[in-house]
Amino acid sequence: MVPPVRTLAVASIFWVAASWFRFAQAESISVATGSEPVTFNRHIAPILFRQCAECHRPGQVAPFSLLTYTDARKRAKALQEVTAAHLMPPWKSIAGYGRFIGERRLSESEIELFSQWAAQGAPEGFHGDLPDSPRFADGWKLGQPDLILTMPEVIPVPAEGRDVYRNVVFRLHIPSGKYIKAVEFRPSNRRLVHHAQLCLDTTGRARARDAADPAPGYDGTGKPPGQLFPGSLATWTPGHDPVPLPDGMSMPWPEEADLVVQLHLHPSGKPETEKSSIGFHLTDQPPRRSMADLLLLDMKVDIPPGEPAYRTWSQILLPIDVEVVGVFPHMHLLGREFKLTAYPPDGTPVPMLWIRDWDFNWQVYYQFVVPMKFTAGTRILMEAVHDNSEENIHNPNHPPRRVTWGEQTTDEMSVAFLQVMPVHEKEFPRLGLERRGFQLGIIRATQPPPAAPTSSPMP
Ligand code: HEC
């Protein structure tokens, strides 16, 4: 069946209309009532502290701090604009399309407060209303890891020029009887590191390339330098807290494997260096269930110059009952829109994920709060839109040129990695992964150790 492309466009128009309406409403409220003034100390600071300061404070990824009245006042208009446009806090999925761990968004009334505050001249308010400044634990987010690796040497990043991709190889030894449950990546310099990808290499190739390159690590291309870690463990992006593997899942580590970390580094304007650490949280629990990445991809990408809405799609028919743990959508600079929908055999579509304003720099793994369960025969459809027009501010080509599938950031992709666990473990082989040659992020359930005897203590 041809994907229902129509709905995308219609829905976007509806969305624009709805947000304009909200915006108009907010304006009229502030003008009409004027009863209780919206102040920094009472209304704005609590939102900034809770939703923005994590990144907008010294030493973090955002370019300026938003901790004080002076910081916020001079940007009142910008704060209103970025919140109304849903650009900040950065969270790309649209409410109502899947529920994800770590979702970060403002309520409509919070957005209105920013708008009213700007319209009223950004008053400070009573000092007594100001909440305490937020405290941030600058340590590990998930507590002290069981194992920490730190890069042996710093990676120099020039002041200017193109982004740097660098692969760093580590020997990782996980004690026998232990499994990886969560991984926490920590950059030393948050202004530099755009994202990091964790891979496993059992071929020795990464180690050989590292040895052949005299500088620390070796050049990356943006392509994963090995087999990506499963799901939430694969990618680190700024401001996204580490998410452990779901219940029943853990990652076994092959004895002789290397860990390869790819850093995407962005010059900051002055020469700097990076020395990242990676913390591993281990568990005694072997994986009780199997998990695999299903790949939805459309490689027929061939986007004519100037094309504002180039559509690609891919679908998969689930051969068995599965639980979908999460999804990692992937496009490059020209990506605009991404949608994932499930069509169970009974025909009622189930929205899974919708991103309307794709941004290459804010790619995250979307892990569902509760894995989504689908029966055999469900069709899962991925739809993507690329914008190769001059109007796309992320278009690297002026004038636009023809863009096709490829690994460079200036080529394009249209992919979704869908992580699934079979509902009935014995059906795993029926996913047919081997047959299709997909060997991505597969974890097979292993036999759990015999349960310890439970004694019921006397009251
Ligand atoms: C996860 C980290 C993160 C959080 C949380 C965050 N920001 Fe940002 N913000 C950034 C980064 C990085 C930039 C600069 C790059 C960009 O625009 O994407 C930025 C840029 C901005 C800008 C400038 C935009 C421009 O176009 O110049 C404003 C204004 C802003 N943020 C406001 C906010 C507000 C208000 C909040 C909270 C409601 C917030 N941010 C939350 C990371 C964050």
Side-chain angles (χ1 to χ4, degrees), residues 141 178 225 239 388 417:
K141 304 239 179 194
K178 298 278 185 189
N388 194 11
F417 298 87

Side-chain angles (χ1 to χ4, degrees), residues 302-356:
D302 187 349
I303 318 173
E307 170 62 58
Y310 182 83
R311 295 176 185 280
T312 47
W313 61 280
S314 172
Q315 60 186 354
I316 199 163
L317 201 62
L318 295 175
I320 58 171
D321 297 355
V322 300
E323 285 182 67
V324 182
V325 176
V327 53
F328 187 80
H330 184 62
M331 302 186 278
H332 293 171
L333 298 167
L334 300 181
R336 277 325 293 151
E337 209 169 330
F338 179 95
K339 204 173 198 180
L340 198 68
T341 315
Y343 295 86
D346 78 3
T348 317
V350 181
M352 297 177 73
L353 172 67
W354 187 16
I355 296 168
R356 240 195 72 262

Side-chain angles (χ1 to χ4, degrees), residues 47-48 51-52 54-56 61-64 66 75 78-79 82-83 88-90 104 106 114 238-240 359 362:
I47 308 175
L48 294 178
Q51 296 274 9
C52 320
E54 183 193 345
C55 300
H56 286 271
V61 60
F64 50 85
L66 283 174
R75 298 192 176 87
L79 298 187
V82 297
T83 52
M88 289 284 153
R104 212 194 281 113
L106 300 180
F114 277 105
H240 200 61
D359 185 338
W362 290 115

Side-chain angles (χ1 to χ4, degrees), residues 33 39 127 214 267 272 329:
T33 68
T39 70
H127 192 262
E272 299 202 59

Side-chain angles (χ1 to χ4, degrees), residues 141-162:
K141 304 239 179 194
L142 297 178
Q144 187 61 24
D146 298 299
L147 199 118
I148 300 169
L149 295 177
T150 299
M151 282 166 27
E153 298 168 283
V154 300
I155 293 185
V157 182
E160 271 152 24
R162 293 169 64 123

